[in-house]
Amino acid sequence: MFEILPIPAFSDNYIWLLASDGRAAVVDPGDAAPVIAQLEARQLALETILITHHHADHQGGVAELVERWHPPVFGPAAESITGCTNPLSGGEKMTVLDQAVDVLSVGGHTRGHLAYHVPGALFCGDTLFGAGCGRLFEGTPAQMLASLGRLAVLPDDTRVYCAHEYTEVNLRFALAVEPESAALRERVERVRQLRAAGLPSVPSTLGEEKRTNPFLRCAQPAVIAAALARGAVDASLVHVFAAIRGWRNTF
Ligand code: ZN
Ligand code: FE
């Protein structure tokens, strides 16, 4: 298995660097400069670029990296991706640094959003965050709920490599949804310590997200009750999800 390293970019993005034997891939290089610095420092040749969605903070560095290393660029077929050589729509199987990767269609944040799954690791862009999920810029609550469901069936020990350091504020919201949750209080303390030490709060694991992420817990009585109190029309999954997501937008 390749090594997975975070490259911090902008104010709160993580570009994920996958490295193995002098070879590298990157996920969502929104900025080229910090990626080039890491590739040079580690003497890695960039051979693959994976893009989850079209937002500039996820693909802004592609042109410069392609100019220098000429790697293929994999990204959503439904979106405009700079230099995309291998358009994907989900369901494909591919190989990255000799590892089998499954491509998952997880629209909602954007229409064609993709996630990349290697056994043990999930690169999910702006779909699933630590204790949160992406905003619905182009999709519906039903679409995002289905996408999160596609991620939630992966094994609990799958590490979740999301694209932003949003966990602390997401946890404050999660506690507003489920104030009685002991698992949440424990996670809040653990994340506080990591951030105080200057360390990323990610990756988490899917099991941890299922215990503490309100957007993966829309069938839980406490989450249903909170959603109903915030205007959900009924206790159906999609209405609970929509009410919680709407509440988060103004939290
Ligand atoms: Zn985005
Ligand atoms: Fe983003």
Side-chain angles (χ1 to χ4, degrees):
M1 179 68 165
F2 41 70
E3 210 185 332
I4 305 174
L5 303 153
I7 302 177
F10 309 115
S11 58
D12 52 31
N13 281 71
Y14 291 124
I15 298 166
W16 294 104
L17 173 65
L18 322 183
S20 174
D21 274 333
R23 303 155 62 201
V26 280
V27 184
D28 285 352
D31 191 6
V35 175
I36 292 170
Q38 281 298 316
L39 292 171
E40 284 181 343
R42 296 171 186 273
Q43 296 190 291
L44 299 166
L46 181 62
E47 58 175 61
T48 304
I49 294 177
L50 301 175
I51 302 292
T52 63
H53 68 292
H54 69 86
H55 289 158
D57 62 312
H58 297 256
Q59 65 153 331
V62 169
E64 204 175 328
L65 295 171
V66 165
E67 196 175 277
R68 173 134 172 211
W69 281 281
H70 311 287
V73 178
F74 295 80
E79 300 184 2
S80 172
I81 306 296
T82 307
C84 186
T85 54
N86 296 64
L88 303 166
S89 37
E92 295 91 347
K93 291 185 188 301
M94 52 187 285
T95 302
V96 176
L97 304 178
D98 303 325
Q99 299 293 318
V101 175
D102 279 314
V103 183
L104 304 172
S105 166
V106 289
H109 177 67
T110 60
R111 192 170 20 135
H113 201 301
L114 300 174
Y116 299 93
H117 175 233
V118 195
L122 173 69
F123 301 94
C124 51
D126 288 358
T127 295
L128 178 65
F129 290 128
C133 78
R135 280 177 186 261
L136 304 184
F137 285 121
E138 298 171 15
T140 63
Q143 188 185 10
M144 187 60 137
L145 188 63
S147 294
L148 293 173
R150 234 162 266 142
L151 303 182
V153 298
L154 300 174
D156 277 1
D157 61 0
T158 305
R159 284 183 301 279
V160 178
Y161 295 90
C162 60
H164 289 274
E165 180 60 62
Y166 289 160
T167 315
E168 278 188 306
V169 60
N170 285 340
L171 283 169
R172 280 200 288 281
F173 175 73
L175 264 180
V177 178
E178 292 190 89
E180 308 298 328
S181 166
L184 261 175
R185 288 172 189 288
E186 185 273 330
R187 187 172 185 188
V188 166
E189 180 51 26
R190 202 152 28 82
V191 167
R192 193 193 62 73
Q193 288 179 17
L194 284 169
R195 298 303 293 148
L199 297 170
S201 69
V202 291
S204 59
T205 65
L206 208 44
E208 185 174 25
E209 296 305 332
K210 287 193 221 170
R211 287 192 295 278
T212 53
N213 188 324
F215 299 101
L216 296 181
R217 296 174 56 76
C218 293
Q220 296 295 318
V223 177
I224 293 171
L228 289 171
R230 288 277 157 172
V233 294
D234 60 38
S236 66
L237 275 184
V238 70
H239 288 139
V240 170
F241 177 79
I244 299 292
R245 184 57 259 185
W247 177 12
R248 176 66 180 86
N249 290 346
T250 57
F251 183 75

